[in-house]
Amino acid sequence: IKYNCNMKQWYQRRVRAIMSVEIVLSILSLPIAVILMFLVIWNIISFDELKTDYKNPIDLCNSLNPLVLPEYLLQGFLALAYLYYMQYLGIVIMLPLTVYHAYRYMRRPRMSVLGIYDPTAVMNGDEMDRNKKEGFVKLGLYLVNFFAGLLWMILAVSS
């Protein structure tokens, strides 16, 4: 009987520890999702300004290239955190995007600065449309991630 009591206490402590990790992960994922959404919206607006000739390609690349690596690192951190703590919806949302980001970064043009946007290629109409579509898809994924994090936080706090 004493063995069962200790197992029960151990199980209750384990459940409380998992719940506290879920709360911390969901609270941490919300501001990261907001930052990622801001970066993607900035990206979409910048490409729209390029399309309407408010911005030239060099200024566009100078403003977007420094933001690429922080976006990829934040998103990769979130994907690894979801993978480590087995948040299945977060894994389904973030892991394919992380793989795509790694693929995209490996295929980037060779430049002297870190980033994926080349001023000579970014004015191409197909490239501009592809970057805008990519931005809208990423914005949708980050919105789903934000609301899933909000739901996880509510469920973790209420239980």
CSV table of all heavy atoms in Angstrom, one decimal, residues 12 66 122:
chain,number,residue,atom,x,y,z
A,12,GLN,N,1.4,12.6,-9.4
A,12,GLN,CA,0.8,13.9,-9.2
A,12,GLN,C,1.9,15.0,-9.4
A,12,GLN,O,1.7,16.0,-10.0
A,12,GLN,CB,0.2,14.0,-7.8
A,12,GLN,CG,-1.1,13.2,-7.7
A,12,GLN,CD,-1.7,13.2,-6.3
A,12,GLN,OE1,-1.0,13.6,-5.4
A,12,GLN,NE2,-3.0,12.9,-6.2
A,66,PRO,N,18.6,41.8,-42.8
A,66,PRO,CA,19.0,41.6,-41.4
A,66,PRO,C,17.9,40.9,-40.5
A,66,PRO,O,18.1,40.5,-39.5
A,66,PRO,CB,19.2,43.0,-40.9
A,66,PRO,CG,19.5,43.8,-42.1
A,66,PRO,CD,18.7,43.2,-43.2
A,122,VAL,N,15.4,40.4,-57.0
A,122,VAL,CA,14.1,40.6,-56.3
A,122,VAL,C,13.1,41.4,-57.1
A,122,VAL,O,11.9,41.3,-56.9
A,122,VAL,CB,14.4,41.3,-54.9
A,122,VAL,CG1,14.6,42.8,-55.1
A,122,VAL,CG2,13.4,41.0,-53.9
